[in-house]
Structures are given as C-alpha cells and as structure tokens.
Amino acid sequence: MNGRSRRTLGVWVLLAVAVIGCTRDQRPVLTVYAAASLRDVLSELREPFERDQGARLQFNFAGSGVLAQQILAAPRADLFLSASPEWIDRIERAGRAVPGSRRELCANRLVVVGRDDCGVLLDSPERLVDADYRHLAIAQPEAVPAGQYARDWLVSASVDGIDLWQLLAPRLTPTLDVRATLALVESSPRVLGVVYASDVLASERAVVLYEPPPGVQPSIRYEAIAIASSAVSVEAGGSEPGRPVASSLATAFLDLACSDGSLAVYRRHGFLEP
C-alpha cells in the first residue's frame, strides 16, 4: 500500500470512528435549564439519575432570568430550575409550564466575599462604603436572582439616609451570573462580590467577609417546574384530555431532586432545606 492509500485509509478510519462515536449513545435526553449556582449539586445528581433511568442529562446553566427568557423565546427545555420563584411565576403566566409540576428545591443565603488575600474586614454592610477595595461585583439584577437579592439588600441598608445601592454605584461591577461574580472575585484581591453562601464552597480562594443577619437576609428560594413545550406527553382520557403532563423522565428527575436522599447533597454544597 502506497503512502497516498494509507492516508486515504486513515481518513476513512477516522470518519468511521467519528460516526460510531456520534451514534453510540442512543439514550433519551432530558434537557435541564438550571440556575448557575446549582451546577455542583446537579453534577452530583447526574450519575444516579442516568444510571437508574437509562437516560442522559443535558444541562444549560445560566442566570435564572436569562434561562426564563430563553424558554419564553424558543422553549427547548424539559425542566426549569430557578433561583427565584419570580421567574417560575413568569413561565406559568405565559402558559409554558406543566400544571401541577412546580416543586420547592432548597434555600440559600447571601454573603459578601473577597479573595483570601484581600485584607478587607467587614463588621457591617456600611463598611463597604469606605473599605479598601476597587470593585464590588454582583450578578445583573435585571436578569439574575443573585443580583436582584444583592440589590434589594443594599437598598435596605443606608448611611446618613442614603442607601448603599446609591453610595456604592461607582464601584458596582455587573456580571453574567453568580459564578461569574465568584470568578471575578477570585481574579483579584481588589474585587469583592455578593454571592450565595453555597458558591463559596465551590471556590478555593474566596472567603466570607460578611453575612447579613437573619432579620435582613433575603428570602432565597429555589423552585423547579416542567416545561410544557418539549419532552411532554398528552394525557390519555381522564377529565382533562389534551392537558400537558410532564414526561416520565422529567417527573423522575423532579422526584430525585426533591427527595429526602438528595437533601444531604444540597447541604454538602452549602444549601439549606426549603
């Protein structure tokens, strides 16, 4: 066999391997749109779900508001896991949710973080006004619950009658989602950030500088719902024929994510019970 023939054979072998690789996994796919802060929890739940259901999970992680807008524009999700009930409400009002599929997942806490070498000490939120740092990173309040919670908390605190949201405006640096906020904090000791307590456990360098006490801590609740426009079936018979119902895979994942057995996973990653 000459050199040209060997090269040709090699190309065909590579193509055959690629085709086999693309067609080998014939398992059904469940597409989950989930808040970025849930990445570590859902990565841990992937293996038992895929093993028990013989299916494959496909995740899309982003800010909950961004995900909700994607679902409303071109729904390709089977499930939506949001860091704020507000975005679940919008999906329901738009008629994109499977009725009766809404579930509570977990809760969280807001914290101010910095890199472990930032040298900043905070004993109150008011210290953010004069502390030695350059930027305060938060997720986009208009589209990301972490940013909305951060804005609401900063608005609730004030110095001389002016709320911290206004006083800190020159230092505020918006990010795409809460994990992007965490990454920005990790990149420089001159950057502080407002993230969830659970995010700190996902970082090797971020440390908690301040945690709002229970009296002013925002109520941070995660909820999930099945989307009616993707992997759904139609109810056969019954009193409401044609009413969308969640697919068996979507229901199985919701059952797993809300099970008592999964509570330990949430706790291990810094979340609270719902």
Side-chain angles (χ1 to χ4, degrees), residues 1-30:
M1 182 181 295
N2 58 36
R4 182 176 180 180
S5 298
R6 283 195 296 269
R7 286 194 298 273
T8 301
L9 179 60
V11 169
W12 281 108
V13 169
L14 289 174
L15 287 173
V17 170
V19 170
I20 292 171
C22 291
T23 60
R24 182 178 299 162
D25 194 342
Q26 297 296 320
R27 295 175 296 172
V29 176
L30 185 72

mmCIF file of all heavy atoms in Angstrom, residues 1-30:
data_model
loop_
_atom_site.group_PDB
_atom_site.id
_atom_site.type_symbol
_atom_site.label_atom_id
_atom_site.label_comp_id
_atom_site.label_asym_id
_atom_site.label_seq_id
_atom_site.Cartn_x
_atom_site.Cartn_y
_atom_site.Cartn_z
ATOM 1 N N MET A 1 0.857 -1.197 0.000
ATOM 2 C CA MET A 1 0.000 0.000 0.000
ATOM 3 C C MET A 1 0.891 1.243 0.000
ATOM 4 O O MET A 1 1.795 1.370 0.825
ATOM 5 C CB MET A 1 -0.895 0.000 1.244
ATOM 6 C CG MET A 1 -1.856 1.190 1.311
ATOM 7 S SD MET A 1 -2.875 1.169 2.817
ATOM 8 C CE MET A 1 -3.838 -0.323 2.542
ATOM 9 N N ASN A 2 0.654 2.141 -0.978
ATOM 10 C CA ASN A 2 1.484 3.337 -1.043
ATOM 11 C C ASN A 2 1.050 4.359 -0.006
ATOM 12 O O ASN A 2 0.043 4.202 0.677
ATOM 13 C CB ASN A 2 1.454 3.952 -2.456
ATOM 14 C CG ASN A 2 0.026 4.310 -2.894
ATOM 15 O OD1 ASN A 2 -0.776 4.730 -2.067
ATOM 16 N ND2 ASN A 2 -0.241 4.173 -4.190
ATOM 17 N N GLY A 3 1.836 5.459 0.087
ATOM 18 C CA GLY A 3 1.565 6.473 1.099
ATOM 19 C C GLY A 3 0.207 7.110 0.936
ATOM 20 O O GLY A 3 -0.500 7.364 1.913
ATOM 21 N N ARG A 4 -0.198 7.361 -0.321
ATOM 22 C CA ARG A 4 -1.492 8.012 -0.558
ATOM 23 C C ARG A 4 -2.635 7.109 -0.118
ATOM 24 O O ARG A 4 -3.621 7.562 0.491
ATOM 25 C CB ARG A 4 -1.627 8.354 -2.032
ATOM 26 C CG ARG A 4 -2.923 9.083 -2.357
ATOM 27 C CD ARG A 4 -2.956 9.491 -3.800
ATOM 28 N NE ARG A 4 -4.192 10.195 -4.106
ATOM 29 C CZ ARG A 4 -4.486 10.676 -5.311
ATOM 30 N NH1 ARG A 4 -3.614 10.543 -6.318
ATOM 31 N NH2 ARG A 4 -5.636 11.299 -5.513
ATOM 32 N N SER A 5 -2.510 5.812 -0.386
ATOM 33 C CA SER A 5 -3.550 4.867 0.007
ATOM 34 C C SER A 5 -3.661 4.780 1.523
ATOM 35 O O SER A 5 -4.764 4.693 2.084
ATOM 36 C CB SER A 5 -3.259 3.481 -0.576
ATOM 37 O OG SER A 5 -3.259 3.522 -1.987
ATOM 38 N N ARG A 6 -2.504 4.802 2.186
ATOM 39 C CA ARG A 6 -2.522 4.741 3.650
ATOM 40 C C ARG A 6 -3.203 5.977 4.235
ATOM 41 O O ARG A 6 -3.966 5.886 5.190
ATOM 42 C CB ARG A 6 -1.093 4.603 4.188
ATOM 43 C CG ARG A 6 -0.513 3.195 4.060
ATOM 44 C CD ARG A 6 0.724 3.027 4.928
ATOM 45 N NE ARG A 6 1.811 3.912 4.479
ATOM 46 C CZ ARG A 6 2.733 3.565 3.588
ATOM 47 N NH1 ARG A 6 2.702 2.360 3.038
ATOM 48 N NH2 ARG A 6 3.680 4.409 3.243
ATOM 49 N N ARG A 7 -2.911 7.147 3.645
ATOM 50 C CA ARG A 7 -3.549 8.372 4.138
ATOM 51 C C ARG A 7 -5.061 8.326 3.931
ATOM 52 O O ARG A 7 -5.843 8.726 4.786
ATOM 53 C CB ARG A 7 -2.944 9.583 3.437
ATOM 54 C CG ARG A 7 -1.541 9.945 3.926
ATOM 55 C CD ARG A 7 -1.148 11.323 3.454
ATOM 56 N NE ARG A 7 -1.085 11.418 1.999
ATOM 57 C CZ ARG A 7 -0.016 11.121 1.280
ATOM 58 N NH1 ARG A 7 1.093 10.704 1.887
ATOM 59 N NH2 ARG A 7 -0.028 11.227 -0.038
ATOM 60 N N THR A 8 -5.474 7.799 2.756
ATOM 61 C CA THR A 8 -6.896 7.701 2.460
ATOM 62 C C THR A 8 -7.584 6.757 3.436
ATOM 63 O O THR A 8 -8.668 7.036 3.959
ATOM 64 C CB THR A 8 -7.119 7.208 1.026
ATOM 65 O OG1 THR A 8 -6.498 8.122 0.127
ATOM 66 C CG2 THR A 8 -8.609 7.117 0.712
ATOM 67 N N LEU A 9 -6.926 5.617 3.689
ATOM 68 C CA LEU A 9 -7.479 4.657 4.640
ATOM 69 C C LEU A 9 -7.586 5.273 6.032
ATOM 70 O O LEU A 9 -8.573 5.086 6.744
ATOM 71 C CB LEU A 9 -6.597 3.403 4.682
ATOM 72 C CG LEU A 9 -7.038 2.309 5.674
ATOM 73 C CD1 LEU A 9 -8.437 1.812 5.326
ATOM 74 C CD2 LEU A 9 -6.031 1.152 5.656
ATOM 75 N N GLY A 10 -6.560 6.036 6.404
ATOM 76 C CA GLY A 10 -6.570 6.678 7.708
ATOM 77 C C GLY A 10 -7.726 7.645 7.855
ATOM 78 O O GLY A 10 -8.368 7.717 8.907
ATOM 79 N N VAL A 11 -8.022 8.392 6.786
ATOM 80 C CA VAL A 11 -9.133 9.338 6.819
ATOM 81 C C VAL A 11 -10.453 8.602 7.018
ATOM 82 O O VAL A 11 -11.299 9.001 7.820
ATOM 83 C CB VAL A 11 -9.172 10.176 5.525
ATOM 84 C CG1 VAL A 11 -10.482 10.961 5.434
ATOM 85 C CG2 VAL A 11 -7.995 11.129 5.481
ATOM 86 N N TRP A 12 -10.619 7.483 6.279
ATOM 87 C CA TRP A 12 -11.864 6.716 6.401
ATOM 88 C C TRP A 12 -12.011 6.108 7.798
ATOM 89 O O TRP A 12 -13.117 6.036 8.339
ATOM 90 C CB TRP A 12 -11.921 5.616 5.347
ATOM 91 C CG TRP A 12 -12.329 6.132 4.000
ATOM 92 C CD1 TRP A 12 -11.543 6.278 2.896
ATOM 93 C CD2 TRP A 12 -13.625 6.599 3.629
ATOM 94 N NE1 TRP A 12 -12.259 6.812 1.860
ATOM 95 C CE2 TRP A 12 -13.552 7.014 2.280
ATOM 96 C CE3 TRP A 12 -14.843 6.703 4.308
ATOM 97 C CZ2 TRP A 12 -14.649 7.534 1.606
ATOM 98 C CZ3 TRP A 12 -15.933 7.219 3.633
ATOM 99 C CH2 TRP A 12 -15.838 7.629 2.302
ATOM 100 N N VAL A 13 -10.912 5.682 8.387
ATOM 101 C CA VAL A 13 -10.964 5.134 9.745
ATOM 102 C C VAL A 13 -11.410 6.198 10.738
ATOM 103 O O VAL A 13 -12.258 5.970 11.604
ATOM 104 C CB VAL A 13 -9.588 4.558 10.152
ATOM 105 C CG1 VAL A 13 -9.565 4.227 11.646
ATOM 106 C CG2 VAL A 13 -9.277 3.308 9.336
ATOM 107 N N LEU A 14 -10.854 7.407 10.597
ATOM 108 C CA LEU A 14 -11.225 8.497 11.486
ATOM 109 C C LEU A 14 -12.693 8.857 11.330
ATOM 110 O O LEU A 14 -13.405 9.117 12.312
ATOM 111 C CB LEU A 14 -10.349 9.721 11.218
ATOM 112 C CG LEU A 14 -8.880 9.615 11.654
ATOM 113 C CD1 LEU A 14 -8.099 10.842 11.200
ATOM 114 C CD2 LEU A 14 -8.785 9.457 13.170
ATOM 115 N N LEU A 15 -13.167 8.869 10.083
ATOM 116 C CA LEU A 15 -14.575 9.168 9.845
ATOM 117 C C LEU A 15 -15.473 8.105 10.462
ATOM 118 O O LEU A 15 -16.519 8.418 11.060
ATOM 119 C CB LEU A 15 -14.850 9.273 8.340
ATOM 120 C CG LEU A 15 -14.327 10.533 7.647
ATOM 121 C CD1 LEU A 15 -14.513 10.414 6.138
ATOM 122 C CD2 LEU A 15 -15.044 11.770 8.173
ATOM 123 N N ALA A 16 -15.064 6.845 10.328
ATOM 124 C CA ALA A 16 -15.858 5.757 10.884
ATOM 125 C C ALA A 16 -15.920 5.857 12.407
ATOM 126 O O ALA A 16 -16.975 5.666 13.020
ATOM 127 C CB ALA A 16 -15.256 4.408 10.468
ATOM 128 N N VAL A 17 -14.790 6.200 13.036
ATOM 129 C CA VAL A 17 -14.756 6.352 14.486
ATOM 130 C C VAL A 17 -15.667 7.496 14.924
ATOM 131 O O VAL A 17 -16.399 7.405 15.910
ATOM 132 C CB VAL A 17 -13.310 6.597 14.968
ATOM 133 C CG1 VAL A 17 -13.307 6.998 16.447
ATOM 134 C CG2 VAL A 17 -12.460 5.349 14.754
ATOM 135 N N ALA A 18 -15.635 8.601 14.155
ATOM 136 C CA ALA A 18 -16.467 9.752 14.489
ATOM 137 C C ALA A 18 -17.940 9.404 14.395
ATOM 138 O O ALA A 18 -18.745 9.779 15.248
ATOM 139 C CB ALA A 18 -16.132 10.922 13.568
ATOM 140 N N VAL A 19 -18.319 8.671 13.326
ATOM 141 C CA VAL A 19 -19.717 8.292 13.151
ATOM 142 C C VAL A 19 -20.174 7.367 14.269
ATOM 143 O O VAL A 19 -21.259 7.522 14.837
ATOM 144 C CB VAL A 19 -19.930 7.621 11.776
ATOM 145 C CG1 VAL A 19 -21.316 6.998 11.691
ATOM 146 C CG2 VAL A 19 -19.735 8.637 10.659
ATOM 147 N N ILE A 20 -19.316 6.406 14.610
ATOM 148 C CA ILE A 20 -19.650 5.482 15.692
ATOM 149 C C ILE A 20 -19.817 6.235 16.993
ATOM 150 O O ILE A 20 -20.748 5.996 17.773
ATOM 151 C CB ILE A 20 -18.568 4.385 15.827
ATOM 152 C CG1 ILE A 20 -18.602 3.471 14.599
ATOM 153 C CG2 ILE A 20 -18.790 3.576 17.103
ATOM 154 C CD1 ILE A 20 -17.442 2.495 14.543
ATOM 155 N N GLY A 21 -18.903 7.215 17.232
ATOM 156 C CA GLY A 21 -18.991 7.992 18.459
ATOM 157 C C GLY A 21 -20.259 8.807 18.534
ATOM 158 O O GLY A 21 -20.849 8.978 19.600
ATOM 159 N N CYS A 22 -20.717 9.308 17.382
ATOM 160 C CA CYS A 22 -21.925 10.136 17.376
ATOM 161 C C CYS A 22 -23.192 9.316 17.547
ATOM 162 O O CYS A 22 -24.199 9.809 18.040
ATOM 163 C CB CYS A 22 -22.012 10.932 16.069
ATOM 164 S SG CYS A 22 -20.757 12.226 15.941
ATOM 165 N N THR A 23 -23.161 8.064 17.112
ATOM 166 C CA THR A 23 -24.379 7.249 17.113
ATOM 167 C C THR A 23 -24.415 6.252 18.265
ATOM 168 O O THR A 23 -25.424 5.597 18.460
ATOM 169 C CB THR A 23 -24.503 6.484 15.784
ATOM 170 O OG1 THR A 23 -23.360 5.636 15.612
ATOM 171 C CG2 THR A 23 -24.617 7.458 14.618
ATOM 172 N N ARG A 24 -23.343 6.165 19.024
ATOM 173 C CA ARG A 24 -23.267 5.129 20.055
ATOM 174 C C ARG A 24 -24.285 5.369 21.172
ATOM 175 O O ARG A 24 -24.921 4.445 21.654
ATOM 176 C CB ARG A 24 -21.845 5.101 20.623
ATOM 177 C CG ARG A 24 -21.631 4.032 21.681
ATOM 178 C CD ARG A 24 -20.192 4.051 22.152
ATOM 179 N NE ARG A 24 -19.289 3.766 21.051
ATOM 180 C CZ ARG A 24 -17.988 4.052 21.061
ATOM 181 N NH1 ARG A 24 -17.456 4.665 22.098
ATOM 182 N NH2 ARG A 24 -17.222 3.748 20.024
ATOM 183 N N ASP A 25 -24.417 6.628 21.633
ATOM 184 C CA ASP A 25 -25.295 6.940 22.756
ATOM 185 C C ASP A 25 -26.705 7.218 22.257
ATOM 186 O O ASP A 25 -27.015 8.296 21.785
ATOM 187 C CB ASP A 25 -24.745 8.155 23.505
ATOM 188 C CG ASP A 25 -25.402 8.316 24.866
ATOM 189 O OD1 ASP A 25 -26.483 7.725 25.069
ATOM 190 O OD2 ASP A 25 -24.846 9.015 25.728
ATOM 191 N N GLN A 26 -27.559 6.214 22.354
ATOM 192 C CA GLN A 26 -28.937 6.328 21.873
ATOM 193 C C GLN A 26 -29.929 6.556 23.017
ATOM 194 O O GLN A 26 -31.130 6.429 22.826
ATOM 195 C CB GLN A 26 -29.320 5.055 21.104
ATOM 196 C CG GLN A 26 -28.493 4.811 19.856
ATOM 197 C CD GLN A 26 -28.711 5.903 18.814
ATOM 198 O OE1 GLN A 26 -29.823 6.368 18.612
ATOM 199 N NE2 GLN A 26 -27.636 6.312 18.161
ATOM 200 N N ARG A 27 -29.432 6.893 24.186
ATOM 201 C CA ARG A 27 -30.327 7.112 25.324
ATOM 202 C C ARG A 27 -31.177 8.364 25.125
ATOM 203 O O ARG A 27 -30.732 9.321 24.478
ATOM 204 C CB ARG A 27 -29.512 7.266 26.609
ATOM 205 C CG ARG A 27 -28.736 6.041 27.033
ATOM 206 C CD ARG A 27 -27.879 6.360 28.252
ATOM 207 N NE ARG A 27 -26.862 7.361 27.942
ATOM 208 C CZ ARG A 27 -26.071 7.943 28.849
ATOM 209 N NH1 ARG A 27 -26.207 7.628 30.128
ATOM 210 N NH2 ARG A 27 -25.172 8.832 28.491
ATOM 211 N N PRO A 28 -32.395 8.374 25.663
ATOM 212 C CA PRO A 28 -33.202 9.602 25.605
ATOM 213 C C PRO A 28 -32.521 10.705 26.403
ATOM 214 O O PRO A 28 -31.823 10.448 27.386
ATOM 215 C CB PRO A 28 -34.532 9.177 26.238
ATOM 216 C CG PRO A 28 -34.207 7.990 27.073
ATOM 217 C CD PRO A 28 -33.095 7.277 26.355
ATOM 218 N N VAL A 29 -32.733 11.946 25.977
ATOM 219 C CA VAL A 29 -32.079 13.096 26.596
ATOM 220 C C VAL A 29 -33.106 13.945 27.340
ATOM 221 O O VAL A 29 -34.174 14.254 26.811
ATOM 222 C CB VAL A 29 -31.361 13.965 25.539
ATOM 223 C CG1 VAL A 29 -30.764 15.207 26.181
ATOM 224 C CG2 VAL A 29 -30.282 13.156 24.832
ATOM 225 N N LEU A 30 -32.785 14.310 28.570
ATOM 226 C CA LEU A 30 -33.602 15.239 29.343
ATOM 227 C C LEU A 30 -32.822 16.542 29.459
ATOM 228 O O LEU A 30 -31.720 16.568 30.000
ATOM 229 C CB LEU A 30 -33.894 14.671 30.734
ATOM 230 C CG LEU A 30 -34.851 15.503 31.589
ATOM 231 C CD1 LEU A 30 -36.285 15.386 31.058
ATOM 232 C CD2 LEU A 30 -34.800 15.059 33.049
#
